[in-house]
Structure formats: structure tokens, C-alpha cells
Amino acid sequence: MENKPCPSDTIKVRFAPSPTGYLHIGGARTALFNWLFARHHKGTFILRIEDTDRERSEDRFWKQILEDLEWLGLNWDEGPIFQYDRKDIYDRYAQQLIQEEKAYHCFCAPKQIQDKSYNQKCPCGQIQPDQAKSKIAAGEAASIRFRTPHEGNTEFKDLVRKRVSFDNKEIDDFIIIRSNGQPTYNLSVTIDDALNEITHVIRGDDHISNTPKQIMLYQALNFQIPQFVHIPMIMGPDNTRLSKRHGATAVGEYRKKGYLPQAMINYLALLGWAYNDRQTIFSLPELIEKFSLQKVSKKAAIFDPQKMEWMNGKYIRKINDEEFISHALPYLSHAGLISEDLLQEPTQDIKQIVLSVRDRMKLFSDLPELVNFFFTKKIRYTEEAHEKIFSQPNNLPMLKELHQRLERLETFDEEAIDTIFQELIKERGLKLGDLIHPVRSAVSGKTTGPGIFLMLVLLGKDRVLERLENIFRHTHIKAVKIKKDE
RNA sequence: GGCGCUAUGGUCUAGUGGUUAGGACGGGUGAUUCUCAGUCAUCAAACCGGGGUUCGACUCCCCGUAGCGCUGCCA
């Protein structure tokens, strides 16, 4: 129900991370919802870095956050705006509040505040302004507290929920300027959201309890109150706030593992939002078109890495060959399987090799292990492969026979190889699998992989013959067997 | 403890005052006369509890319970 239509071109939202860590799954999802909302309404999406905590903020973090957002494709229209650069602005408003006696200096030492009810009762609120002024002139350290109204209640309409209401006497006289002069979150976020003319504050619902404080500030400062939208949090499998101990949570880690940004976007969009009961895969334009805050869930969602991996596999198969190959090749060169100068102009062989295992990948980082035997001179045999080769005493003569026939082959293509296999099994009274499995194991060292005929063609006649020969000539390959597939 | 938010299969969710409560991941089974994967088909699996309101509640209201969040000179 949209009773009051917002003129599309006036919508303005922001993503405001603090540079105290990497961009994580939850932050990325918040950024995404803001971005989708902005793009859907042809509004403005701005990026703000909330670096008022000087102790914990680091340059490397905001730099990385920007990089990760760019990788995800969440481009911003304004910013990044750094709050640290805007200290004067916050000071000015804080002074205004002092002037109007809506805030007061607090001379309590930080440690003094042990008692939970202390903030509410801070005696500094009683100090006369003149007296406070002289204490400051005398060099006493002071923070600034906002004088909260202790009667009535503060409520707001959240776009995702109904009406949220707080009793004002529950809300303490909170600090707005630290004794080191830096503003705190509640002050800086309020001033910036107001000054940047943010129309919709879309953020995690861990901020619900901060909202009444900010509303009080909007009112005290005479700012127009924006629309609040609190989206549910993302939890780990144990239903606690998602954190490092749940494994990879940083967007950058997923990038390294070989996730496609569009897969992450698609998965993240579905964490707390759904369009209907039939569609799971959404292109970016579709997400922009179909996204709406009305359909955002109220319930915290548990992050499921398995489903995201599935989603990535879907996208790996969805993108076109060119795109797939250009994403894939760097993983081969990083693994030392191909040289870097092949990245720009890969050979047809390399392209086909990579394409041959596409359906078997969920992550690009899976690739090297899937194709390494195409590139290394010496292959390693898994235990299973070793078993497949030597379990049947007839296998060795069979492989030898195959070797001879393949050797005579003029055109080494799938069709010709197929014919030879068919002939051989017929003569020996075998099933196709009886031949194929030992051969695959012999030439690749693995029991799984692409179809055997394609695999042989891609390996090339010489290497196939060499590896078969290696088996029936030197049965000591046992020595190089490794533990498991993968 | 106080305050706030939330509650549909294991997970992400759709949905309605009367439905066989739908889809996706994961799991099971089968097909794809070579594996794995992929694809397709198929199966199992849910409305937190108690009171109301109502002819009828998973759906609306209240209470309870549980989970989470806030309760910082963090954001």
C-alpha cells in the first residue's frame, strides 16, 4: 500500500559502513537493498564512511570496502563522504544544542560510568551553563550529552514493520560528543542523513533501538525526519549474529574463492526478500525492476553458504563461453598450470579444456584440481584411480591393446576413438565401462572427469599413448598415488 | 534484569479468514545404455504454544514461550 507516493526522482538513500573491518555479507546485503531501491526508483545512492571512531577506523578498510562494492557492481552516485572531514559541522550543531540547553557538558570520567542507570541520572545535567563554561575554560575534559525528554514516547513508522514505539524514559541522556572531541554515531549519522537529504534510511534492524535517539535529535535540531527501514539481520547457522567464527564472511574472501559477483548479488537479494513463489534466478535488471521494500522480510535470515555455492554454479553455467573463459583462466595461471601470457590469447585447446569441466564446477577455485592433468607432465593417481587400473589383471593387456590401436589412428577424434573402443570391447566381451574406467584413470589419474572420448582428444594422441605406456611398462606408479580424489 | 523486534519444513521463503499450504537449497530415489557433475522426473519434510474473535484461523487480537537486537565516550 503506497498511500503517499514518493516522487521517484527525490528518493535518496545511503550506505554508511564504518571502516573498522572488511565489507561482510551483512553489509553487502544492506548496500544491495539500498542500491536496488535507489535504482528502482531512479533515485540517488550515496556512500558515506562513518569513521568517527578514530581508534578502530583504518584506511585499508574503507579502501577495501570501496573495492568490494565496485566488484559487486554497487556503484554510488555521490561520495564517499568521510565523517572525519565533517567534524566542524557536528561541532556546530552540538554547540547549538548546548546553546539551547538541549545538551549539556558532562565532566564524568568515562570509568565513572559503571552503574547502568548512570547515564540517565548523570548529575552534570544540573550544572549551570556558566559554571560548565568556566570548568571547560579551566581545562576540564568534557563530553556532551543530549538531554533527552523523559516524558511521553517516541515512535516511528518502519516501512518493513508496523509502528515502533519507545517510552522516552527508557532513553538515557546519551553522549553526542566524546571527551576527545569526536562526535558519536547517533549525532553524526543524524546530521549527515539530514544534511544529505536522505529520504529513506535503510539499515540493519540492530539500529531499531538507536532510532528513537536519532528522532529526538532530528526534532531538537529541527530536521525533517526521514523514512526508516530496518531490514533483518543475517545470522550464522547457530542463529547468532554472523561473524568470523562462522567461516568466511568477508565479501573479499568470496571473491577470492571464485564467486561471480552476479551470483552473490542474486543470493544476497534473496536473503530477506522474495519476489514470488516461483522465481529464484534474477538478472540485475530484473532485480532492479522487481525489488520493493514492501516485500522485505521481518525475520532474521540464516546465511547458507551451500545455497550460495549452488547459485554460483548456476551462474557459471549461465554466462557465455567468453565470459566463462576469461574468469577461469586466471585461476589456472595462479595455480601455475599455464603461463600468464596465455591469459590474453588462450589457445583453442585451453579453451576447450576449461569448457569441458564447466558443469563440474561450483567455484572457479575448483578449476585447477579439475584440469591439472591436462597441463602437468607427471600426473598423480588417486587411490581410487590406482585401484581402477590394477584391480583387474586383464586391464594391463587391455590397455596395451588399446595403445596399439590408438597408435595406428590417423585422425585422433572422438568418433574414431569411439569406434576403436567399441571394437575392443566387442572382441573382449566387455562392457564399455570395463574399458573406459581404467583408461580414464590411466590418463588422468582420476576416476571422475569429462567424457572419456573428449578427454582423450583434448589430451592429444601423444600424451594419451605416453600415459598408457607408462601404465603397462612401469607398474611402480603405485609410488605416486595420493590419498583421495580432489 | 529493562526495552524493542521477530516467529511457515533442517535452511531461504511464497501464500490465503475456507488451499492437496507453493517454490528454492540441502537430503532420498529414478532416468540420462562411461564416471563425476549437470539436466530432467519423483519422494520425504513446516504454519511455536495457549486463549479469544469467527460458522470457520496458519492467517486477525491478547497472553505465553523461544530466538535475536539494543541497553558503550562502537557503529
Side-chain angles (χ1 to χ4, degrees), chain A residues 26 29-30 33 158-162 203-206 208 229-241 267-274 293-303:
Chain A
R29 206 269 316 252
T30 301
F33 281 15
D158 190 295
L159 241 44
V160 171
R161 289 147 231 281
K162 304 167 197 165
R203 72 218 323 185
D205 69 14
D206 50 337
I208 289 180
V229 186
H230 289 101
I231 63 180
M233 314 248 325
I234 298 178
M235 319 297 268
D238 59 353
N239 203 33
T240 63
R241 204 182 182 131
Y267 176 72
L268 257 22
L270 260 21
L271 219 47
W273 174 84
L293 292 173
Q294 278 71 22
K295 305 222 70 178
V296 171
S297 153
K298 303 188 227 334
K299 190 185 149 199
I302 293 173
F303 175 62

Side-chain angles (χ1 to χ4, degrees), chain A residues 163-356:
Chain A
R163 187 160 287 279
V164 185
S165 178
F166 290 84
D167 193 330
N168 286 347
K169 63 172 171 287
E170 297 294 335
I171 298 167
D172 299 338
D173 285 355
F174 55 94
I175 304 259
I176 54 176
I177 300 282
R178 299 176 172 92
S179 47
N180 69 4
Q182 291 300 324
T184 62
Y185 165 73
N186 281 310
L187 181 70
S188 58
V189 79
T190 299
I191 291 172
D192 283 343
D193 283 340
L195 263 32
N196 294 328
E197 300 179 292
I198 299 301
T199 58
H200 300 253
V201 172
I202 305 171
R203 72 218 323 185
D205 69 14
D206 50 337
H207 284 297
I208 289 180
S209 306
N210 282 322
T211 307
K213 296 180 186 172
Q214 291 164 24
I215 288 174
M216 289 172 176
L217 246 16
Y218 278 99
Q219 288 166 339
L221 260 13
N222 238 308
F223 287 144
Q224 198 185 335
I225 299 171
Q227 187 69 247
F228 291 102
V229 186
H230 289 101
I231 63 180
M233 314 248 325
I234 298 178
M235 319 297 268
D238 59 353
N239 203 33
T240 63
R241 204 182 182 131
L242 193 63
S243 70
K244 301 99 242 152
R245 63 195 175 74
H246 293 114
T249 55
V251 169
E253 292 178 81
Y254 287 96
R255 167 162 49 164
K256 284 196 199 81
K257 281 189 186 177
Y259 279 83
L260 255 8
Q262 52 271 55
M264 273 199 86
I265 291 281
N266 197 154
Y267 176 72
L268 257 22
L270 260 21
L271 219 47
W273 174 84
Y275 179 62
N276 59 20
D277 67 341
R278 38 189 82 214
Q279 192 172 0
T280 304
I281 304 292
F282 295 84
S283 68
L284 206 50
E286 269 178 313
L287 282 178
I288 291 171
E289 184 204 327
K290 293 173 172 171
F291 184 79
S292 84
L293 292 173
Q294 278 71 22
K295 305 222 70 178
V296 171
S297 153
K298 303 188 227 334
K299 190 185 149 199
I302 293 173
F303 175 62
D304 180 4
Q306 218 174 7
K307 187 164 183 177
M308 190 162 82
E309 201 171 277
W310 165 82
M311 182 75 79
N312 201 57
K314 274 285 187 201
Y315 274 87
I316 282 180
R317 277 166 255 126
K318 194 177 196 270
I319 57 181
N320 65 41
D321 290 359
E322 309 296 299
E323 203 180 339
F324 171 74
I325 289 165
S326 69
H327 269 96
L329 295 181
Y331 287 84
L332 293 186
S333 73
H334 287 153
L337 296 175
I338 63 172
S339 72
E340 277 189 35
D341 29 282
L342 279 167
L343 289 181
Q344 293 314 311
E345 287 191 58
T347 63
Q348 277 307 313
D349 280 359
I350 292 178
K351 289 186 186 177
Q352 285 182 43
I353 287 168
V354 168
L355 253 10
S356 76

